[in-house]
Amino acid sequence: MRLFVQLSYDGSPFCGWQSQPNVPSVQDEMERALSIALGESVTVVGAGRTDTGVNARHFIAHFDVSAWPQEETERLLRKLNAILPPAIVAEAFYRVADNAHARFDAISRTYRYYIHLAKDPFAHHSCRCWYQLDVEAMNRAAAPLLGRHDFSSFEKTGGANKTDICTVTEARWEALDATHLVFTITADRFLRNMVRATVGTLLEVGRGRRAPEWVAEVLEARNRSEAGQSVIGEALFLEDIRYPYPLQAL
């Protein structure tokens, strides 16, 4: 039987979601903990491949088990969370069809990137900007990103994607208060490093080094060297993942 598991994690201790030789990953920790909690070897497939340091408030992965334990789901969650390291928390299990896929079935993903403009002792997951930003100009610059486009200019070079086409349905900046900003972007899929490169490009506009119209030119160029530098991963959060079918928690 196949299940989805919903989890959140602080990406700081990990080299991303995906299992890699000789480095810590969220996937490795989930497979280890689930195998212990369920008493059988478990392989986990995630909804995406967050990079080193990137966080998730709402992440979905799927796995298969021969049978679901008779114990209550809440008790199993407590058991699983006791095994998982402090940086990862499992929040819910969902029974899904045997062919459901956490990654390929997802129809949208939402990321948020956090920025602070003044010294903040609590901003451990936010990017410090040392200059003032024009939020209105950054939103004008983000408008051409909406819709279906080739996002090659915002992809880390060397990717092996079959296509660089993504459909973006939301891309906006907002001020949380006088010194804190957040950028929210939603799309059907994301390329590697796409959000961080997009934020770095928009910041060039926000600090007045480029005109808002420049971002549309970068998009059309389909050349990573035309865009701005990527920003740090620690300030990036995967906030939501949507599926074309309802998820009913066990």
Side-chain angles (χ1 to χ4, degrees):
M1 61 185 298
R2 176 157 295 183
L3 294 104
F4 279 7
V5 57
Q6 179 181 317
L7 58 142
S8 297
Y9 56 84
D10 175 353
S12 302
F14 307 107
C15 294
W17 159 264
Q18 192 170 8
S19 178
Q20 304 169 64
N22 305 316
V23 295
S25 72
V26 181
Q27 183 181 9
D28 284 343
E29 290 295 341
M30 284 300 301
E31 290 181 345
R32 180 187 67 86
L34 280 168
S35 295
I36 295 172
L38 296 172
E40 63 179 276
S41 180
V42 173
T43 299
V44 178
V45 177
R49 302 174 183 175
T50 54
D51 292 334
T52 298
V54 175
N55 316 286
R57 284 199 177 95
H58 181 103
F59 191 90
I60 298 291
H62 78 247
F63 63 95
D64 296 328
V65 289
S66 57
W68 191 242
Q70 294 299 314
E71 58 188 310
E72 294 180 0
T73 301
E74 285 298 321
R75 182 180 175 187
L76 182 60
L77 276 173
R78 290 195 297 270
K79 182 178 179 181
L80 179 60
N81 283 313
I83 300 168
L84 285 167
I88 305 173
V89 57
E91 297 164 333
F93 291 110
Y94 306 97
R95 177 69 191 275
V96 294
D98 289 344
N99 63 347
H101 199 287
R103 180 182 177 190
F104 297 139
D105 287 0
I107 57 175
S108 75
R109 297 165 174 83
T110 297
Y111 282 89
R112 290 196 178 103
Y113 195 88
Y114 294 87
I115 285 177
H116 59 290
L117 305 174
K119 186 176 181 180
D120 183 347
F122 304 109
H124 304 303
H125 292 297
S126 178
C127 177
R128 172 70 156 103
C129 282
W130 299 88
Y131 35 80
Q132 291 301 307
L133 296 171
D134 186 334
V135 176
E136 182 181 349
M138 291 194 295
N139 275 326
R140 292 204 307 273
L145 301 175
L146 296 173
R148 186 174 176 81
H149 303 288
D150 184 316
F151 280 86
S152 303
S153 292
F154 303 97
E155 178 188 15
K156 187 173 183 177
T157 55
N161 297 308
K162 293 182 179 179
T163 177
D164 296 322
I165 302 295
C166 305
T167 301
V168 174
T169 55
E170 180 182 24
R172 61 184 173 85
W173 289 89
E174 61 181 314
L176 299 176
D177 56 39
T179 59
H180 294 81
L181 306 175
V182 62
F183 176 66
T184 303
I185 184 167
T186 301
D188 59 342
R189 61 190 294 266
F190 286 90
L191 308 178
R192 188 178 180 190
N193 205 52
M194 177 174 155
V195 180
R196 292 164 59 197
T198 299
V199 172
T201 302
L202 294 172
L203 290 178
E204 292 290 294
V205 175
R207 64 188 298 188
R209 297 177 66 174
R210 296 281 190 169
E213 295 74 21
W214 171 66
V215 175
E217 296 172 5
V218 171
L219 188 65
E220 285 296 319
R222 301 181 184 180
N223 186 336
R224 178 66 185 90
S225 63
E226 296 294 320
Q229 292 186 349
S230 294
V231 287
I232 62 171
E234 288 76 7
L236 180 60
F237 285 78
L238 175 57
E239 297 276 358
D240 194 20
I241 303 173
R242 296 294 176 92
Y243 292 90
Y245 39 75
L247 298 180
Q248 299 291 334
L250 291 173

